[in-house]
Structure formats: C-alpha cells, structure tokens
Amino acid sequence: MGDPFDDAFDYDDASPDRQAVCRVMWANNEAMIRELERLRDVEAVSRRRWEALLPNRDALVLLALDEAGRDLDEAERVRLIDARPDLDRLRREIPATDAVVARMTADAADFDLCWGETFDASAPQSEPLRPARADDRTPVPHRRSLRRVAWRASFVFTLALIAVVSVLMLRREATETVLTAQAAKTLRFGDGTLVRLRPGATLAYAKPSQGSTRTVRLTGNAVFEVVHTGVPFTVETPSGRVVVTGTVFGVRATRDETQVTLVEGRVMLAPKDAATGVTLAPGQQSRVVPGALPTTPSDVDIADEMAWSGRFYFHDTPLRVAAERLTSHYRTTVLVDRRLADERVNGEFDDTTPLPEILRILASTLPSAQVDTVEDGFRLR
Amino acid sequence: MQPISPELVLRAQQGDATAQQHLLAALQDVLRRYFARRIGPRDEVNDLVQNTLLRVHTGLPSLQQPDRLQAFAMKAALFELQDFYRGRYSSREALYDPDVPPERPVAPPAGERLDAERLLGTLSDHARRILELRGYGYRYEEIAEMLGTTEAAVKMQVKRALDKLRDFAAVLVPLGMFLAVLAHTHP
C-alpha cells in the first residue's frame, strides 16, 4: 500500500472487507484519523450547502433539460418557474452548479443512446459519453471490420448469456431466493409490499406467483409495509410467526427471540408452530421466544422502538420530542418555540432525508409555523 | 427488441395489466443498461432500476402524450440518479457522512468544523468546485470526467485543500484561544 490517504479516497468504493481493514488501521493512527475528520468535515459542509440551497434536486434536472432544449410539460414548466429564483441563487452561491447541469445534460443524452440501443438493433453500440478523442473522428477500414467482428462476437456472447441466464432462472423458479443485505436495502414485491432490510438481515422468499400465500422467512431486522391484497402476508422467524393483512411493522428476529413493533394496521404474533397468538394494535410491541407464548402486547414509544429501522416514525409525537431526535441524528440543533413544543406531529421519513425537507414538511402541518435557519441549525417558530 | 408503441402505453395507462407488464419489462432493459453505464456495475443499479420503474408506474396516468414515453422515462431516471448521488442508496458515503463518523480514538480539536466552513471560501476556484461536486455526491472519477482532468489530479487538489485546513487550524485555533484568554483577563 502507498499513501494511506489513497485508502481514504477510495473508501466508499472499497469492499466491506477492505473498509473493515482500513478502519482497524486508522483506529491506531491518530494523525490519519485527524486527516479523515478534516476531509469528512469539509465534504459535510459542502453537502449541507447543497441541501440548504437545493432541497429538491428535481428542479435542477428540469433546469438542465430546459437549457438543453428538451420539452417540458406544463406542470414541469410551472415548477421550474417557481424554482427559478432559488436556482439563480444556487448558481451564484455554488459555482459547481454549472458543472452539475452540464453533467445532467450528458446524462439525458446518454439515456437517449441507451433507448436507441435497446429498441433499435441497428443503432451503434456506444461507449459512455466522454470527450471525443482525435482518433475517433476518422474511422479507418480495418477498424470497421474489427468492429464488425466485435459485433458478431458480442452477439454470440449475448445469446450464450441469455441461454445461461434462462437456465438459471428456470432452475431458480422452483426454489426460493435468499438475500442477505450487506447494507440497508429496500425490496418491493410484485404486490407492492415493501421490505426495508437493515444491514445483516437475511430474507428468504419464494418466487411470487399469483394467488400463492405470501410467506417470507426473516433473520435480522426489517420493516415491512404490507399492501392489502386479501391474502395474508406471513413473516416466519426462527422463533415466531407474524401474520398480517396490510400494515407497517418492524421485526427484530434472532435465533432466540422475535420482537414485533406495530406502527399501523393490525398483526398477529404467534409461536412458530402455533395457530394462534396475540394481536397487536398500533403503538404496541410484543416478543416471543421458542417454546413460550408471546408476551402481552404493551404500549411503546414507536419513535424510540423503531430507531433501529433507519426511519423516523412520528405518530402523534410532541414536536419537541421529534426535534430532539432530529437534533441527535443530524447533529444539528433544531430549536422549537414554546408555542409549538407540545404540538403533535405525524410523519414517516427515511433518515437520509435532508433535515430541511423534514422540518419544512412538519412545519406545514402546524398552525402558522415556519422554519428559520439560525447560526448553528434550525428554528421552528 | 420491439419499440414501445404509443398504443401499448395507452393500454397501460388504461389499466391493462398485460400492457403494463410488457411496458415495464421493456423499460427495465433500457434502465439497466443506462444506470450500469452511468454509475458502473454497482449493486445499486438494481435499486435504481426498480425505483425508476416505480416512478414511471406511479406517474404513468399523468402522461399526457403516450408517444412521449421516452422523455417521461428519461426524466424519471434522472430524478432517481440525483437521489443516488444524494446518498439515498446504500452506505457509499458512510465514511464521510456526518451521521456515521469513522471510529476515532480522539475528539476533533475545537473549532475545526467552523474552520472547514471558512476554508471553502479561501480555496482556489478549481479546488472549491471539486469539493462542491463531492458535496453533491459525485465520485472522484466522475468529477475528473466532468472537469476534464485526471482522478489523481482531483485527489491532489483535495489533499492540498486539507493541508490548507491544517495550517488554517494551526493558526486560528490558538489565536481564538488567545483572544478568549485576553477577553477573560481584560473584561
């Protein structure tokens, strides 16, 4: 290994194993950690500026498309006109905005190329958009023939690939899919049911087929947002079974215990081989261990109990409590005026949602509330 | 593959399940090719494809002209791509995410966070632009491509910026402490 800083630069693209090795190395290298802290701080400052000035990036996409002469529909035009003052300010305050806009224009052009390649077999295969090189401008005969050979080779390869994939798919059809999430991962089943797997969770599910019972097996932590279809959705864990008809709930399943927290809807938690169990109401939690009945459902603070899920669940939560959680998570002060402190708020947010966006949404649900940026964070008043 | 006809789009808009299935299957091929090309063969490609399909499926009824599906899908893909850069997929920014600090044996010196904010204003235009693009979510490789330079040159600029921050901290933190002591002893 050369300069240890190279590892820091490449950290986010490194394998989990390599990342773990880096962390161990850096843990004993105070100077290195200090450097990483500086890099992290500088990048975080830059990111916060983007989030503050551009909470919704869609508007910048529309601007890029508009400037590239692309058609926008009427609603998009209105959105762009509304966002124009903010975008003008963004351009003044973050000079790199123009580079981002140029990149988006290239992103759009590349999409058209991919479209052409997919639906028009005669269209030339293209490389990713890069500045043209001098030797690209004048095709030479032997190069064209090489391309033809390459085309044929890729065609044969594609056919072979399709054949292999088809065989694999046919073989898989009779089996179940087992997925272990290395990082937080979201799955959406064909019926619209959403499963948010936390890192390390393993989910096994059969290939969905119409009319089949919806059953998955889980070890680890996950949140389920089950769509009502008339067919029960069942989560089997090493120690229990959760049967639902349409709801949002969190499951933390280990070999020795299954804990279920219900956010909304209705679920039944039963021992693994029992037909009946306890029924939970929203805001309740129950646990089951092998060979025992589930605990009597008890009322819990959903925001607290679902903190592991990577989402904020505010259900009738006092604003001051929500602000405390946001302050703790984003490490930025969120102040609440006394008038609003005990107002109840509702909402569910991914914990990667920009803080200003969450605050703006919460404020919009409160009487005459607004969000101000203050020196070390935000104030709701 | 056969092009997607406006008739197919219309039938999908009208709720024809078979048409919807064909349309999304065809779009899936385009999107997979597109995202793999834009961000490389990464795990997040699958999530990007699925979420873009969801955007298309959800927004399809609002598509006024069925023959404009290509532009419609392109916008959905671009919107989703910005979410990817924003860090909403996986933990690719974990090291630098202020929410997930690297394990560290010592506390950062007081004032360094503030210094980082001041630093941005003192950098050369080029270095500042690089850090801004990092803040947007682009990888070094992508930034190099955008600025027409090499990845190594981009990283060198960032290293220099950090050296500057170190010097900045070395001067400003003691100065701040000195001024604080002065204010305390001479109120």
Side-chain angles (χ1 to χ4, degrees):
Chain A
M1 184 181 59
D3 186 341
F5 226 106
D6 288 344
D7 280 324
F9 281 128
D10 297 332
Y11 182 89
D12 50 359
D13 283 331
S15 67
D17 288 347
R18 181 68 203 157
Q19 289 182 343
V21 169
C22 288
R23 281 198 300 272
V24 170
M25 284 192 313
W26 297 336
N28 296 318
N29 185 340
E30 189 175 322
M32 184 68 198
I33 290 291
R34 185 70 52 79
E35 290 296 294
L36 287 172
E37 286 286 294
R38 288 196 181 97
L39 180 57
R40 187 178 64 98
D41 278 356
V42 170
E43 291 187 344
V45 165
S46 178
R47 183 156 57 186
R48 280 199 294 272
R49 293 184 71 232
W50 279 109
E51 297 298 348
L53 292 166
L54 185 67
N56 183 349
R57 295 186 175 190
D58 291 3
L60 194 59
V61 172
L62 295 179
L63 177 74
L65 296 175
D66 187 52
E67 292 189 351
R70 303 270 185 157
D71 283 342
L72 302 182
D73 65 29
E74 196 51 40
E76 290 165 342
R77 291 217 166 277
V78 170
R79 278 174 68 190
L80 185 55
I81 290 168
D82 287 347
R84 186 71 75 168
D86 291 339
L87 293 171
D88 289 343
R89 184 182 168 206
L90 178 74
R91 273 187 149 146
R92 283 196 305 273
E93 300 203 9
I94 303 185
T97 302
D98 286 339
V100 175
V101 168
R103 177 76 173 189
M104 288 173 172
T105 305
D107 288 340
D110 208 15
F111 185 90
D112 291 341
L113 277 177
C114 289
W115 188 278
E117 288 169 8
T118 306
F119 296 119
D120 180 4
S122 64
Q125 301 289 314
S126 66
E127 291 294 311
L129 284 185
R130 291 196 180 94
R133 292 194 301 255
D135 59 355
D136 285 341
R137 291 177 192 148
T138 316
V140 292
H142 91 277
R143 195 170 178 196
R144 289 175 67 182
S145 64
L146 279 176
R147 278 187 182 165
R148 197 168 297 132
V149 171
W151 256 89
R152 285 178 184 158
S154 71
F155 181 68
V156 171
F157 176 76
T158 305
L159 279 181
L161 190 64
I162 290 170
V164 169
V165 170
S166 302
V167 169
L168 287 175
M169 286 179 73
L170 284 172
R171 287 179 60 184
R172 182 186 280 186
E173 194 150 327
T175 66
E176 64 181 7
T177 303
V178 180
L179 174 73
T180 299
Q182 303 295 332
K185 187 172 183 64
T186 301
L187 295 179
R188 186 181 289 275
F189 289 121
D191 61 7
T193 292
L194 203 69
V195 185
R196 301 177 193 279
L197 295 172
R198 301 302 294 158
T202 297
L203 189 76
Y205 52 95
K207 184 174 174 18
S209 58
Q210 212 170 10
S212 67
T213 303
R214 303 184 296 168
T215 301
V216 299
R217 288 189 292 115
L218 171 77
T219 306
N221 302 341
V223 177
F224 292 82
E225 297 180 20
V226 176
V227 169
H228 176 73
T229 64
V231 178
F233 188 97
T234 304
V235 182
E236 291 181 354
T237 67
S239 54
R241 193 163 49 86
V242 192
V243 182
V244 298
T245 54
T247 185
V248 180
F249 62 101
V251 180
R252 308 186 77 179
T254 64
R255 182 175 295 276
D256 303 321
E257 184 185 81
T258 298
Q259 178 202 82
V260 176
T261 307
L262 182 63
V263 177
E264 63 184 51
R266 194 175 177 83
V267 303
M268 183 190 77
L269 174 63
K272 190 170 177 55
D273 299 315
T276 59
V278 297
T279 301
L280 279 73
Q284 288 191 327
Q285 185 180 79
S286 176
R287 301 161 190 261
V288 63
V289 297
L293 292 172
T295 60
T296 303
S298 57
D299 292 337
V300 294
D301 180 335
I302 293 177
D304 254 353
E305 294 299 325
M306 295 292 283
W308 54 267
S309 67
R311 286 175 71 77
F312 298 113
Y313 289 93
F314 298 136
H315 281 230
D316 215 21
T317 306
L319 183 59
R320 58 182 162 72
V321 175
E324 282 166 14
R325 295 196 197 295
L326 295 171
T327 295
S328 166
H329 180 75
Y330 288 96
R331 299 185 180 186
T332 299
T333 306
V334 179
L335 302 170
V336 178
D337 276 8
R338 189 171 299 167
R339 174 179 75 86
L340 299 172
D342 291 320
E343 291 283 347
R344 304 278 167 162
V345 290
N346 291 281
E348 296 174 10
F349 306 95
D350 198 284
D351 68 4
T352 57
T353 305
L355 179 57
E357 197 173 319
I358 295 178
L359 294 177
R360 203 170 28 256
I361 292 169
L362 291 180
S364 70
T365 67
L366 297 170
S368 311
Q370 67 179 65
V371 185
D372 291 340
T373 303
V374 294
E375 188 178 351
D376 56 349
F378 300 91
R379 172 188 290 275
L380 284 157
R381 66 176 178 87
Chain B
M1 180 176 286
Q2 288 292 317
I4 299 173
S5 67
E7 292 73 26
L8 180 70
V9 177
L10 197 58
R11 281 197 286 125
Q13 285 183 302
Q14 290 166 345
D16 182 332
T18 308
Q20 288 175 354
Q21 201 175 349
H22 283 151
L23 186 135
L24 294 179
L27 281 180
Q28 183 167 328
D29 287 348
V30 184
L31 294 171
R32 196 168 299 285
R33 182 190 293 248
Y34 175 65
F35 286 123
R37 183 176 292 178
R38 295 317 281 171
I39 69 166
R42 304 167 66 93
D43 292 344
E44 292 93 334
V45 167
N46 281 337
D47 291 340
L48 280 163
V49 170
Q50 292 306 317
N51 288 336
T52 306
L53 288 175
L54 187 63
R55 273 184 194 261
V56 171
H57 181 70
T58 308
L60 201 57
S62 67
L63 176 61
Q64 300 288 329
Q65 298 168 277
D67 60 343
R68 303 288 299 153
L69 179 72
Q70 181 177 344
F72 181 70
M74 179 266 288
K75 286 170 199 163
L78 257 62
F79 292 154
E80 206 57 47
L81 195 57
Q82 308 320 306
D83 273 355
F84 166 76
Y85 287 129
R86 194 176 213 161
R88 288 192 176 171
Y89 287 75
S90 86
S91 56
R92 64 191 289 268
E93 298 291 338
L95 178 64
Y96 309 125
D97 192 329
D99 306 337
V100 189
E103 296 160 23
R104 64 180 184 206
V106 291
E112 286 215 356
R113 187 166 294 263
L114 183 60
D115 290 341
E117 290 178 21
R118 288 178 181 165
L119 173 75
L120 275 177
T122 67
L123 294 176
S124 69
D125 287 349
H126 189 57
R128 183 178 172 183
R129 192 157 292 144
I130 288 171
L131 288 170
E132 286 171 349
L133 292 173
R134 278 294 290 172
Y136 191 86
Y138 292 115
R139 287 175 291 141
Y140 291 109
E141 181 189 1
E142 292 165 325
I143 294 169
E145 202 176 301
M146 292 164 76
L147 300 181
T149 182
T150 65
E151 194 176 334
V154 168
K155 289 177 177 175
M156 182 53 68
Q157 286 285 341
V158 176
K159 273 186 184 176
R160 285 184 187 151
L162 292 174
D163 288 344
K164 199 166 181 178
L165 175 60
R166 190 168 51 236
D167 297 343
F168 213 63
V171 173
L172 282 186
V173 172
L175 181 63
M177 290 169 67
F178 173 73
L179 290 175
V181 170
L182 202 63
H184 184 69
T185 53
H186 298 85

